[in-house]
Structure formats: structure tokens, C-alpha cells
Amino acid sequence: QVQLQESGGGLVQAGGSLRLSCEGSGRAFSSVTMGWFRQAPGKEREFVAAVFRSYGRSYYADSVKGRFTISKDNAKNTVYLQMNNLKPDDTAVYYCAADPGLILSSIREARDYDYWGLGTQVTVSS
């Protein structure tokens, strides 16, 4: 079992920055693939970023590439999402997800992650 808790959401103006944190318990993060997803009202949950368990390589959605950075602190069992140059289209509930057995080809698939946090709201005003 893995328990996840997100924090760091809030209201920010377009062009601003936020850093989301996801603290986990129950399993060492070094052996778990960690992902961030988001869901805007009326839309499906979509992939944002992930870091693969085996060698720590990061993957990003095209819409956030160059603006968002995912990082993981295994000692603190925490994964971060640094979000810069935020846009109104980034407004959503952001969820942290984890899966110890995820294969690389599924890293962008929300349905393949076993563990989820409750989410944190990010609102970007224009």
C-alpha cells in the first residue's frame, strides 16, 4: 500500500509559479514510478509528468514541456512538480499517482496507476 498526500496548490496569476508536493508513505519512492495528472471541470484526467522508478528518467506532456519540472526526493519520500509560466489552461485539480509495477509504456495512462492522492486545486487567473 502507498498513501499519498498532495500540497502546494493555490491561486496564481498567469505567468506565475507554484510548486506542488506529494508526500508518500508505505513504500520507498525509489522503487515506485511517480506521476502527476490533472483534471479540469468537464474534462478527463490527463497526464502531466512522471518519473520512472528504474532509472529516474522524467516524462512530460507536450503542453507542459519546458514549463514544468518533476523531481523526486527519495530520502523524503516526496515528489515535486515545479510549475513555471503558468497559463489559465493549467487550471485543474492536480493529482499525485504512484505505482510500483508500472511498465514504461503505461507511464502516461492514468488507469494503470494503482495509488492516488486526493488532489490539490491549482487556479491560474488571466
Side-chain angles (χ1 to χ4, degrees), residues 18-22 29 32-37 47-53 55-61 64-74 78-84 94-99 102 107-108 113:
L18 283 174
R19 189 177 81 155
L20 305 184
S21 299
C22 173
F29 270 23
V32 179
T33 294
M34 301 299 303
W36 286 98
F37 291 78
F47 172 76
V48 175
V51 54
F52 192 62
R53 68 181 187 281
Y55 43 85
R57 182 175 175 177
S58 301
Y59 299 83
Y60 297 92
V64 306
K65 202 172 292 183
R67 299 189 296 123
F68 291 11
T69 303
I70 188 171
S71 60
K72 189 168 65 160
D73 186 333
N74 291 330
T78 300
V79 63
Y80 304 97
L81 185 68
Q82 178 66 44
M83 305 186 295
N84 298 329
Y94 283 70
Y95 297 91
C96 177
D99 195 288
L102 196 74
I107 202 167
R108 293 177 172 82
Y113 285 76

Side-chain angles (χ1 to χ4, degrees), residues 5-16:
Q5 178 64 59
E6 304 96 336
S7 61
L11 174 64
V12 65
Q13 288 188 332

